[in-house]
Amino acid sequence: MDFPSTPIGRRLTINTIVRRHQIEATRDRSLWEDETPLHSAALVERFSDAVRSAVPDARLTWALSWGALTDDSPRYRDIRRTLARIATEHGDDVTFVPGGFFANLYGSRDEVARDISDAVDLLHASFDRATTSLVAGFLAAENISRARDLGIRTVQGNIWSQFDIDLQDGDGSLAYPYYPSRNHFLVPGRGDDRIDAVQLDGWTVDLVAARGAGMSTAFNSRLGLGPIETLHRLPREDALRELYATSEAHLNDRNVQRNGLGWLTVNYEISEVARGLAHDPTTLDAWTGWLRGIRETWTDLEVTTIGAFGEEWRQRHPDNEGLAYLLQQSGSGVQGSRAGETVTWFMTADFRLGVVRAGDDVDVFDYTSYLDAPREPTQLGDRRWSLLGEINQKQTRPQDRPVALGRFLEAHPDVEAALENTWADAPERAELQVRA
């Protein structure tokens, strides 16, 4: 395996959201909770100060919904003024979150494009700076492409592995950055099909626990760095163990060497900061304690904006042709992150392959080919935007039962050849007993 000659290094991107309503389906239609009372300039300032107390040179990405961007009440005017000052002081980015997430569930491509275009103009007028990134949860390929025409070069436009949680599914993509296809936002684009905007995940999740759908009191497939899934719901000791275990899986020396970067990303919405503090006043201190801990362990870790991170990545990757990510994580013992299991992902522009080792058993639990992938859904209200391959990690179809690695490779010699050519010297490949 040829390791990147100019690695990016260790990066953490922290996004946060300021909304009026939990879901702003359109400009004049909102769903779920009115979050206005949870937002204030004082809480924005408190969150900013808390992050900087742990990592003084941290740079954050703040995303405003349409309501938060246009509301002329004293509350939101004060928030915008505070954000303008904070962004100037610390080099933060202030950008737009269409729909407050899931914009394409409720708005047509044209409606979402109009919202993004008008928001970019408003942001420029309000904050006197160009907007080069978006925070979107999920965003259709056409809207990513049209945003690129406005100068948007990095989009947090997919939530890796999400299935049967919240309002939209989107399993099937790569977990690390890629340029999306014009036909499907989860697919790496090739040639003229490639959109020249870096596509980013929104929450780093535990690779062991992600192999399932939904959540219960004893299981959460979104377990990982998310405060909602850890510090807000788990006993503190378990929450911190999970935060550090998932961080280590990406920031350890081996991962940085083999991928050219070790990347973590998390979204901590301001409304969730408020809810967490209401439940336990020490929640934010515990979260920033984790930030301080990983910075002290990996002193070269940079906390940067998604726009800056996207620029770093695109400078080293003009297209998707050389993508070859190898990610590996062992179970933390917290909930669905089962101790004794190790998950390894092989990810390229052609396919992703997920393999799990438990004792002497080595099984393929996901194989998703990106060749001849279908187009995205187009109907409003359709939550099923996932790209489910031949075998999918969520195991929601009869065909998704894991297959012994040897038997899988016998049936897929092209995949075996790709593993041999791309990761011939990777110890992780040998550990998984991939045949020579």
Side-chain angles (χ1 to χ4, degrees), residues 118-418:
D118 289 352
V120 166
D121 291 340
L122 286 170
L123 285 164
H124 190 271
S126 299
F127 297 94
D128 193 28
R129 62 177 66 196
T131 302
T132 61
S133 65
L134 285 177
V135 174
F138 295 112
L139 193 62
E142 180 181 330
N143 287 120
I144 296 174
S145 178
R146 292 169 73 169
R148 180 65 184 87
D149 293 339
L150 302 172
I152 302 297
R153 295 159 64 92
T154 303
V155 177
Q156 183 280 301
N158 93 94
I159 305 173
W160 190 83
S161 90
Q162 181 154 306
F163 197 99
D164 280 346
I165 286 183
D166 267 336
L167 297 179
Q168 191 173 354
D169 297 341
D171 187 37
S173 70
L174 305 185
Y176 270 23
Y178 63 95
Y179 296 103
S181 160
R182 296 182 182 278
N183 292 320
H184 204 303
F185 75 118
L186 297 176
V187 173
R190 312 291 282 271
D192 293 340
D193 181 50
R194 180 184 69 91
I195 301 172
D196 183 32
V198 180
Q199 172 79 310
L200 299 181
D201 179 23
W203 285 265
T204 300
V205 298
D206 186 305
L207 301 178
V208 180
R211 293 171 300 134
M215 60 178 288
S216 67
T217 56
F219 172 81
N220 193 320
S221 63
R222 304 271 329 133
L223 185 70
L225 294 191
I228 298 174
E229 292 79 16
T230 52
L231 290 168
H232 291 198
R233 294 186 180 177
L234 296 176
R236 182 62 52 81
E237 182 179 350
D238 287 349
L240 291 174
R241 178 149 51 101
E242 176 59 32
L243 287 171
Y244 282 110
T246 299
S247 302
E248 198 279 335
H250 293 270
L251 299 181
N252 69 76
D253 290 344
R254 180 62 184 162
N255 188 68
V256 175
Q257 181 189 30
R258 66 194 171 207
N259 293 311
L261 72 157
W263 174 49
L264 302 174
T265 190
V266 66
N267 191 311
Y268 203 171
E269 302 157 16
I270 292 299
S271 57
E272 288 301 330
V273 175
R275 292 186 181 100
L277 289 170
H279 174 70
D280 181 345
T282 68
T283 300
L284 187 56
D285 291 337
W287 190 73
T288 54
W290 159 71
L291 284 180
R292 185 177 297 108
I294 61 174
R295 179 61 175 270
E296 290 174 352
T297 302
W298 295 283
T299 56
D300 60 334
L301 174 66
E302 295 184 18
V303 180
T304 189
T305 65
I306 61 171
F309 176 65
E311 288 302 313
E312 281 191 291
W313 188 85
R314 67 186 296 125
Q315 288 172 12
R316 292 158 174 78
H317 299 275
D319 51 43
N320 290 320
E321 300 307 316
L323 295 191
Y325 296 129
L326 195 163
L327 304 176
Q328 188 173 82
Q329 184 167 357
S330 296
S332 68
V334 177
Q335 286 196 334
S337 184
R338 292 181 288 272
E341 295 186 359
T342 297
V343 161
T344 303
W345 278 99
F346 301 92
M347 297 180 172
T348 75
D350 289 338
F351 66 87
R352 71 176 202 178
L353 178 72
V355 180
V356 58
R357 171 189 282 281
D360 293 331
D361 295 328
V362 183
D363 295 320
V364 172
F365 63 85
D366 191 290
Y367 173 61
T368 302
S369 173
Y370 297 124
L371 305 177
D372 301 319
R375 288 181 173 270
E376 294 170 348
T378 56
Q379 293 295 112
L380 297 183
D382 185 354
R383 70 164 292 147
R384 303 291 182 182
W385 284 54
S386 293
L387 181 64
L388 302 181
E390 180 179 326
I391 308 171
N392 180 260
Q393 67 171 337
K394 300 301 179 183
Q395 300 187 42
T396 56
R397 307 170 298 174
Q399 71 196 67
D400 294 333
R401 184 181 298 276
V403 177
L405 179 61
R407 183 153 58 90
F408 174 85
L409 292 177
E410 288 178 359
H412 298 80
D414 55 329
V415 176
E416 183 174 16

Side-chain angles (χ1 to χ4, degrees), residues 64-115:
L64 298 172
S65 71
W66 183 261
L69 187 57
T70 60
D71 189 295
D72 202 37
S73 67
R75 178 188 302 268
Y76 284 98
R77 287 203 308 268
D78 287 347
I79 288 173
R80 292 192 294 269
R81 279 196 293 265
T82 299
L83 281 179
R85 175 176 53 78
I86 288 172
T88 299
E89 290 175 356
H90 297 285
D92 293 354
D93 276 353
V94 182
T95 186
F96 181 53
V97 52
F101 291 143
F102 316 123
N104 292 112
L105 274 182
Y106 306 104
S108 69
R109 267 52 168 190
D110 286 341
E111 289 169 334
V112 173
R114 183 191 65 184
D115 287 351

